[in-house]
Amino acid sequence: MAAVVAALALPLRLRPARLGPLLGPLLKEAERGWRGLGWSQVLRKSLRRGVALSTGSFVVYEAFRLVSGHAVVHASSKVAEVIEQADYLYGSGETEKLYRLLVQHKNSEDAELLWRLARASRDLAQLSTTSAEEKKQLAYDSLEYAKRALEKNEANSAAHKWYAICLSDVGDYEGIKVKIGNAFIIKEHFERAIELNPKDATSVHLIGVWCYSFAELPWYQRKIAAMLFATPPTSTYEEALRYFHMAEEADPNFYSKNLLFLGKTYLKLNNKKMALLWLSKAKDYPAHTEEDKQVQKEALELLNSI
C-alpha cells in the first residue's frame, strides 16, 4: 500500500507550479494527512483551514480518483486472471500446480480465490503421495481458507459448500463426538449452498453422501450419538438415493462418485439390477483425477462381488 501511495504522490508533486499558488499548500496538506486520512477528509480539513478549492485542486482530485479506480480495476483483473488459470488447472486435474498457484494468494480478501484454495488444499490432501502429517495440516488449512471465504462473502454458494466439506474432513481428527456434533452444521451449509445455487449438482450430491453416511452409521456410533444429543442426526438410504438422483438430473454424468454412490445405495437396498447399472457407469467413467481412478477401482470390486 505504501508503494502505491508513493507512486501516486510523485506525479502530484509535479503539478503545483502549473496549477496555481493555492494548490501547493493543498498538496502539502494532503501529503501530511495521506496515511491517516481518506482523500475526501484531507480536502475537508484543508477547506476548514481556509484553503480554497481551485480548478487545479479539482483536477488533482479527479486524477487521484481515476488512478485509484484504475488500481481497483487492475486488481480485479489480476484476480480474474488467477481464477481463470486456476479453473483451467482444476479442469485438467493438475492438483499440485493448482495448489502452488493459489497458495500464493492465501492472504487474499477475495472469496472466490479463497474457496478455490480450500478446494485445492483438500484435493492435495487426497493424493496418495501426500503424507499423513501433510494431510492433517492441509485439512486444517482448507477449513481456515473456507472459513475466511465465508467471512468475506456469506452469499457465496461455493464457500458454504467447501466450508461444509472441510469441516467434515477435520472431524476425522477430532473424534466421534465432534464429528457427529458438526454434522448438523455441515448439513446446514450444504442446504444454504443449494439455496444460493439450486443448480449446483455437487452440493445436492453431498447432502446425499451426508444421508448415506448416517444411514450406515454403525450401531455403537448410533448409541454414542443418542447419548450425546437429544435428537442425533439420522437418515435413510431412500433419502440418500433421492438426492443422488436429483444431482444426476441437475447435471447428468457430472461426477464419478455420484454414479458410484447410486450403485452402492441400490446395493444397500438390495436392488442388484440397478446397482449393476450405476456401478458399471462408475467403472467406465473417464479417469481425469486420482479420485476418478479410486472410484473405478471400488466400482470394479463391487461389481465382482455381486
Side-chain angles (χ1 to χ4, degrees):
M1 183 61 186
V4 174
V5 169
L8 288 174
L10 182 59
L12 294 183
R13 293 191 188 106
L14 300 178
R15 294 180 179 273
R18 289 183 299 175
L19 295 179
L22 289 178
L23 191 51
L26 177 61
L27 288 175
K28 289 180 181 178
E29 181 74 20
E31 287 175 353
R32 284 196 295 272
W34 194 289
R35 294 183 183 276
L37 296 172
W39 180 258
S40 60
Q41 290 175 284
V42 171
L43 292 179
R44 286 196 296 270
K45 185 178 178 182
S46 299
L47 281 171
R48 284 198 298 270
R49 292 186 180 183
V51 180
L53 271 176
S54 66
T55 303
S57 62
F58 177 75
V59 171
V60 172
Y61 172 75
E62 282 299 297
F64 174 77
R65 188 175 63 82
L66 290 171
V67 172
S68 299
H70 176 73
V72 171
V73 170
H74 178 71
S76 299
S77 177
K78 185 178 179 181
V79 168
E81 184 180 331
V82 173
I83 288 173
E84 184 178 359
Q85 293 175 25
D87 289 347
Y88 173 79
L89 291 172
Y90 180 75
S92 303
E94 298 280 1
T95 303
E96 292 172 320
K97 287 182 181 178
L98 174 62
Y99 175 78
R100 287 197 298 270
L101 169 68
L102 290 174
V103 77
Q104 300 175 61
H105 305 279
K106 63 182 181 180
N107 295 320
S108 173
E109 300 291 310
D110 191 283
E112 291 292 331
L113 278 176
L114 289 168
W115 73 254
R116 282 174 170 81
L117 176 55
R119 179 181 66 182
S121 302
R122 183 182 185 272
D123 286 349
L124 186 63
Q126 302 298 309
L127 296 182
S128 58
T129 54
T130 305
S131 69
E133 184 179 345
E134 290 172 324
K135 287 179 186 290
K136 182 176 180 179
Q137 183 60 54
L138 285 166
Y140 282 93
D141 288 347
S142 300
L143 180 60
E144 178 61 26
Y145 300 141
K147 180 181 177 181
R148 284 179 49 214
L150 267 183
E151 289 171 353
K152 301 303 175 187
N153 186 0
E154 194 280 335
N156 189 302
S157 172
H160 282 279
K161 174 171 64 180
W162 287 100
Y163 178 78
I165 293 170
C166 296
L167 184 61
S168 177
D169 289 345
V170 165
D172 294 336
Y173 300 101
E174 299 286 342
I176 186 64
K177 179 179 179 180
V178 173
K179 191 169 182 67
I180 294 176
N182 285 343
F184 296 103
I185 302 170
I186 290 167
K187 191 176 184 183
E188 286 175 4
H189 281 282
F190 282 143
E191 290 171 342
R192 177 64 173 148
I194 294 171
E195 180 185 341
L196 291 166
N197 184 8
K199 295 182 180 180
D200 180 16
T202 306
S203 293
V204 179
H205 160 80
L206 290 168
I207 288 192
V209 174
W210 188 96
C211 295
Y212 184 97
S213 299
F214 282 99
E216 71 166 2
L217 201 68
W219 67 268
Y220 67 91
Q221 291 189 5
R222 290 181 187 276
K223 191 171 182 179
I224 293 172
M227 291 170 61
L228 295 174
F229 304 98
T231 55
T234 59
S235 191
T236 64
Y237 291 118
E238 288 82 1
E239 187 177 10
L241 187 66
R242 181 169 62 86
Y243 280 112
F244 294 140
H245 274 297
M246 284 171 60
E248 204 61 30
E249 289 167 9
D251 191 358
N253 212 40
F254 76 105
Y255 187 31
S256 60
K257 262 197 169 178
N258 199 62
L259 304 176
L260 177 65
F261 268 101
L262 278 162
K264 289 171 67 172
T265 309
Y266 273 117
L267 268 183
K268 293 289 186 180
L269 295 171
N270 297 313
N271 188 332
K272 291 185 178 180
K273 181 180 177 180
M274 293 300 293
L276 285 168
L277 170 67
W278 291 104
L279 289 173
S280 296
K281 288 186 176 185
K283 177 183 71 69
D284 297 333
Y285 192 91
H288 297 298
T289 65
E290 188 167 325
E291 184 181 52
D292 292 333
K293 294 175 184 177
Q294 293 170 355
V295 165
Q296 286 181 339
K297 181 181 178 182
E298 185 175 352
L300 182 58
E301 290 172 351
L302 289 170
L303 285 167
N304 291 334
S305 70
I306 297 177

